Amino acid sequence: MSANRGRRPDLPARLPMKEDPAETEILLLDPPDFLHERAAEIWREMAPEMARLGRLDPVHRVQFANWCTWQALFNLASAEVMKEGFGGVTNADGLNADQAADLRNGVQVKASDAWRKMIQASDEVMKLGDRFGTNPKAARQIDDKGQLNMFDLLFDDLEKCA
């Protein structure tokens, strides 16, 4: 007596094909349409390496796009600071009235808008970069394999010495 009794199930006319990993990877490496061109340039530069390291999954695209946007803003603000200087120096004394204050410890320069934008963008780039390992400390934390076995390390060192 057969365990499979009854009518056979109806199969769909077409079976869905498995996703092509190469096609998925290409789609993953294309920058999202909403990115500004400067942020898209950073995406094209960084995404292949992030994908190779396994740090750019489809669910992380928006966060990575956000990182690219802040990186582009940082680059723009840095260029503006390099052009204008820290405090937007303009007159013979080297200071503009709205950018300097004569305090009891002497004249102090106020930070320019470009400087403040650069610092804010830098902070955001660092915070978001921690999620993708774009700095050495974050990369070590992401790549950390957990607790290591002391004896394995010892034997590996002994093999290298022999």
Side-chain angles (χ1 to χ4, degrees):
M1 190 156 122
S2 173
N4 296 331
R5 299 176 122 201
R7 185 174 166 220
R8 287 187 180 184
D10 291 333
L11 294 176
R14 283 188 257 159
L15 294 174
M17 295 180 66
K18 292 182 179 177
E19 286 186 29
D20 182 12
E23 185 178 317
T24 303
E25 187 173 316
I26 289 169
L27 291 174
L28 184 64
L29 296 181
D30 288 340
D33 294 334
F34 61 83
L35 274 183
H36 185 274
E37 185 54 38
R38 290 181 190 248
E41 288 173 16
I42 293 169
W43 179 287
R44 287 185 204 96
E45 178 185 339
M46 297 296 293
E49 184 65 13
M50 290 292 137
R52 187 187 70 75
L53 294 170
R55 297 181 188 157
L56 185 58
D57 293 330
V59 296
H60 300 141
R61 283 177 59 88
V62 173
Q63 286 183 332
F64 188 66
N66 196 5
W67 180 84
C68 292
T69 300
W70 279 108
Q71 184 65 52
L73 290 171
F74 173 78
N75 294 349
L76 288 170
S78 296
E80 194 174 333
V81 166
M82 292 300 158
K83 185 174 74 177
E84 293 180 6
F86 172 77
V89 177
T90 55
N91 66 10
D93 296 332
L95 299 172
N96 192 339
D98 60 333
Q99 293 168 332
D102 193 8
L103 303 175
R104 69 178 165 185
N105 293 333
V107 176
Q108 295 184 355
V109 179
K110 297 178 185 177
S112 67
D113 287 337
W115 179 264
R116 284 191 288 276
K117 289 176 191 174
M118 186 181 78
I119 296 302
Q120 180 188 8
S122 174
D123 291 344
E124 293 297 329
V125 164
M126 293 304 290
K127 280 190 257 180
L128 289 168
D130 287 346
R131 298 177 186 172
F132 295 100
T134 59
N135 63 57
K137 179 183 175 190
R140 278 192 306 275
Q141 289 174 340
I142 290 172
D143 294 339
D144 188 16
K145 306 291 189 259
Q147 186 174 354
L148 300 174
N149 186 335
M150 181 178 70
F151 292 109
D152 289 342
L153 294 174
L154 179 64
F155 289 130
D156 287 345
D157 286 344
L158 289 173
E159 287 176 9
K160 288 177 188 173
C161 293

